[in-house]
Amino acid sequence: MSHDLDDALRSALRRHAEAAPTTVDTDAVRHRSRQLQRRRTLEVLGAGVVLVAVVLGLGALVGSLRHDASLPPATTESPAPGGSTLLAFTSSTDGNSPVHIVVRAGGADRTVETPAGGGVTLLGWYGPEHRTLVWAVGITGFREGTLYAVTVDASGRPTGRAEPLRIPGRANLAPGVALATAGGPIQMWTPDTPSDARSAASLVTIAPDLSSATSSPLPTGLVPITITANEIVLTSLDRGTVSIGRLSGSTVGALTSTSACSPRSAAQPNIDASVVAFGCPDGSVDRMTLAGGAVTHLGVLPEGTDPGGLLGLWWDPAGGLNASVTPTLNADYSVVHDYSWSGTAWVRSVEEGVLTRIYPTGSASVRLVKKNDLPGNIGRWIVESSPEVDLGQTNGSLVVAPSAS
Amino acid sequence: MEVESRPTFDAFVAARGTSLLRHAYVLTGDRYLAEDLVQEVLAHLYRRWDRVAATTSPEAYVKASVTRQFLSWRRRKWFGERPTDQVPEADAAIDSTGSVDDDDVLWRLLARLPRRQRAILALRFYDDQSDEQIAAILGVSASTVRSNASRGLATLRSQLDPSDVTGGVS
């Protein structure tokens, strides 16, 4: 039998294929497409959180690496000395299992189980001594975007189970889109009617020590796509317009409308948070100054209009803008091409395969690269320093406690 | 000057819908999941159909998307299955005549293989794709395709004929 297996397989597959359904319901496809478009918009908004958290946290990590060359590699399991860097990243066993969180301190890894039912977006370390890890659970960052927290001791060992984040004086925190800034509060957009993104909404500001939260109204129908210490950038779910609001504490000031495109990718602030960039539906990129909202429409990315399209944008230390795209037939990130904006055109980079890169300090950088032999959009975070630290499989969410010692 | 003809979304689905559903069915082994999988992929591609239609082969593109969607991790929870290299005993012995019963047993055994192995075997033996073509679709090397195919075939052989363990199962 074994030598006929190939033919037997052909026969079995072809005969059984005839039992497949014969008609595609195009009305159902169109209905689903509308649902996906709406969900996609909200995913883009939620995705903005990830890199904000990374940019904020990595300064501390790279600083730690520079001053602590003995930071052990990922495989070391020596006891964690007190006061070491607290690092957290999301992971999965084989790229297929539910995501969990790894807390690394002094080379020891500890796993924190997180509720299933959606993606995990790490926001950062908060609370007294920055020992409470806060993250959002939910694929879209909306409705399912509930905040969870776990507190660890000085060695990185969790002191209890992960629980929904509770703030004194507030009965509960409604799910929403969470944003984090360096050393600053957690800002959370929450619609007053949880099932309706177009209802009136509030901006809830949670103090970094997690002791209090305040809320202020936001214009109806506008959702934040990125936040800095001084500004919040919002977009309309319906029209895709982009506005900038000055932040004063938890209050959003008067909005400045811009001529920016309807964002197709999360907005990425540059290193000094003076400019943001985001991808447009036509495959081009908009560069927007936060002070005043001046918009520069950059050219269409090569391959940016492919069905695979734009994967990510990032800034280099000199202020240069870079983009990663995936060509047709590689929408799973298995092939990634990188481009830099020369000032007049997008120029193909020598290096390939980088999903995003962050330069928290000078030449040190962090890359998210694709690990090819795993299914799904699983990457590896690599801290490019000496020694290199391989953070393993992750879905691209990484936070570092601001206090390294 | 010849004007290039690009299929509209509706025309494409009308012409190739059955082919897509059959492709999804040999991947999933389930009629309802096959329908859902194809709907899901087409819903993703609907809004950018102009770009898909401009590709050399829209059908190949959509089938590749169906395959990758099938392999994506979020689907696993949705499918609620637990693929394993340790395939249970065959439900019935296969004789050497290549009967219809043999097809049914193979079909069931195939459905129990790990998802990637099953997809590779389906692409190779149903769609007649080369290892290099499969590698391009899955975003892996051709050697990875071959090793997965080899493992899948070895598992099937060991189940069909327990005395044949030459392929081994890792």
Side-chain angles (χ1 to χ4, degrees):
Chain A
M1 176 64 203
S2 60
H3 59 278
D4 293 328
L5 184 56
D6 291 5
D7 289 340
L9 266 174
R10 275 194 190 87
S11 167
L13 289 168
R14 287 176 182 167
R15 189 175 71 79
H16 280 273
E18 292 172 7
T22 55
T23 307
V24 176
D25 183 345
T26 51
D27 287 340
V29 169
R30 286 190 173 86
H31 177 68
R32 256 169 118 151
S33 181
R34 285 191 293 272
Q35 288 181 319
L36 286 167
Q37 178 66 18
R38 183 176 170 81
R39 183 186 180 111
R40 169 68 183 151
T41 301
L42 291 163
E43 279 181 340
V44 165
L45 307 179
V49 175
V50 176
L51 287 181
V52 172
V54 171
V55 169
L56 301 182
L58 281 172
L61 174 62
V62 174
S64 168
L65 292 173
R66 283 179 165 177
H67 300 298
D68 182 9
S70 63
L71 189 70
T75 53
T76 301
E77 296 181 359
S78 58
S84 60
T85 298
L86 280 174
L87 173 71
F89 56 96
T90 52
S91 186
S92 61
T93 304
D94 59 1
N96 290 312
S97 305
V99 170
H100 56 266
I101 297 171
V102 176
V103 174
R104 179 170 296 170
D109 285 353
R110 294 177 176 86
T111 299
V112 176
E113 298 301 330
T114 183
V120 172
T121 300
L122 298 178
L123 294 177
W125 293 94
Y126 296 91
E129 300 182 70
H130 308 290
R131 295 256 186 86
T132 301
L133 178 66
V134 179
W135 66 94
V137 175
I139 294 173
T140 67
F142 170 63
R143 273 208 286 191
E144 298 168 277
T146 301
L147 298 186
Y148 279 80
V150 70
T151 299
V152 302
D153 62 20
S155 68
R157 187 184 310 278
T159 58
R161 296 168 60 89
E163 302 279 358
L165 178 64
R166 290 185 174 82
I167 303 298
R170 291 187 73 95
N172 56 54
L173 287 168
V177 175
L179 301 157
T181 52
I186 300 170
Q187 307 268 27
M188 192 145 178
W189 170 87
T190 59
D192 294 350
T193 305
S195 60
D196 183 5
R198 290 176 176 78
S199 69
S202 300
L203 183 67
V204 177
T205 302
I206 303 169
D209 63 3
L210 304 179
S211 64
S212 62
T214 57
S215 63
S216 56
L218 275 178
T220 300
L222 293 182
V223 184
I225 54 175
T226 195
I227 198 164
T228 67
N230 300 314
E231 280 96 7
I232 185 169
V233 180
L234 304 125
T235 188
S236 157
L237 283 173
D238 291 325
R239 292 170 294 151
T241 54
V242 172
S243 305
I244 303 170
R246 184 83 182 168
L247 273 176
S248 176
S250 61
T251 304
V252 180
L255 298 178
T256 302
S257 295
T258 75
S259 60
C261 68
S262 169
R264 200 187 77 180
S265 66
Q268 300 303 332
N270 67 346
I271 291 172
D272 64 7
S274 60
V275 177
V276 299
F278 40 81
C280 301
D282 65 356
S284 64
V285 173
D286 271 3
R287 182 181 183 280
M288 186 174 77
T289 303
L290 283 171
V295 174
T296 304
H297 301 290
L298 308 184
V300 173
L301 275 161
E303 305 175 282
T305 57
D306 276 345
L310 177 65
L311 296 176
L313 294 164
W314 72 93
W315 300 85
D316 60 39
L321 182 60
N322 302 271
S324 60
V325 297
T326 188
T328 300
L329 285 177
N330 282 286
D332 63 349
Y333 303 2
S334 58
V335 174
V336 176
H337 296 154
D338 297 292
Y339 293 88
S340 298
W341 177 250
S342 70
T344 55
W346 291 103
V347 179
R348 181 79 170 264
S349 301
V350 174
E351 188 175 38
E352 292 194 349
V354 180
L355 289 183
T356 192
R357 183 187 287 272
I358 295 161
Y359 296 85
T361 58
S363 60
S365 69
V366 173
R367 294 181 304 157
L368 177 61
V369 296
K370 170 70 179 174
K371 186 178 188 314
N372 274 332
D373 286 340
L374 290 173
N377 301 335
I378 303 299
R380 287 182 92 82
W381 283 103
I382 307 290
V383 178
E384 293 175 315
S385 183
S386 181
E388 181 177 89
V389 179
D390 184 347
L391 300 173
Q393 298 167 21
T394 168
N395 68 355
S397 190
L398 164 72
V399 291
V400 185
S403 58
S405 62
Chain B
M1 182 176 172
E2 186 176 350
V3 178
E4 186 183 3
S5 174
R6 293 178 180 174
T8 65
F9 181 79
D10 285 333
F12 173 81
V13 172
R16 306 311 306 160
T18 301
S19 174
L20 295 176
L21 288 164
R22 288 182 172 182
H23 176 76
Y25 184 51
V26 298
L27 291 172
T28 62
D30 183 293
R31 288 170 53 90
Y32 298 105
L33 292 181
E35 277 187 309
D36 205 17
L37 184 61
V38 170
Q39 270 192 19
E40 177 86 3
V41 169
L42 289 175
H44 275 289
L45 299 178
Y46 175 65
R47 285 182 178 270
R48 49 189 183 188
W49 183 252
D50 287 348
R51 297 180 214 161
V52 177
T55 59
T56 307
S57 171
E59 183 176 2
Y61 184 87
V62 177
K63 281 186 174 177
S65 299
V66 167
T67 305
R68 280 198 291 265
Q69 185 79 347
F70 168 71
L71 290 172
S72 68
W73 70 271
R74 284 180 187 173
R75 293 291 93 182
R76 173 154 299 179
K77 184 175 62 175
W78 177 60
F79 278 97
E81 64 176 79
R82 296 186 182 282
T84 173
D85 273 330
Q86 306 303 314
V87 179
E89 290 297 321
D91 295 339
I94 290 184
D95 63 30
S96 58
T97 61
S99 69
V100 170
D101 286 345
D102 298 351
D103 283 353
D104 290 340
V105 172
L106 259 181
W107 177 253
R108 284 198 293 272
L109 291 176
L110 194 66
R112 293 169 181 170
L113 288 178
R115 178 169 301 229
R116 182 183 282 199
Q117 292 176 20
R118 190 185 345 162
I120 286 171
L121 294 182
L123 290 169
R124 183 190 272 188
F125 294 112
Y126 178 72
D127 284 342
D128 288 329
Q129 303 272 0
S130 69
D131 290 346
E132 287 71 23
Q133 289 171 316
I134 297 170
I137 290 171
L138 301 185
V140 299
S141 66
S143 62
T144 299
V145 169
R146 282 189 282 275
S147 66
N148 274 272
S150 175
R151 266 189 242 134
L153 289 170
T155 303
L156 293 177
R157 280 194 190 97
S158 67
Q159 293 301 309
L160 295 168
D161 180 1
S163 65
D164 180 3
V165 294
T166 53
V169 180
S170 61

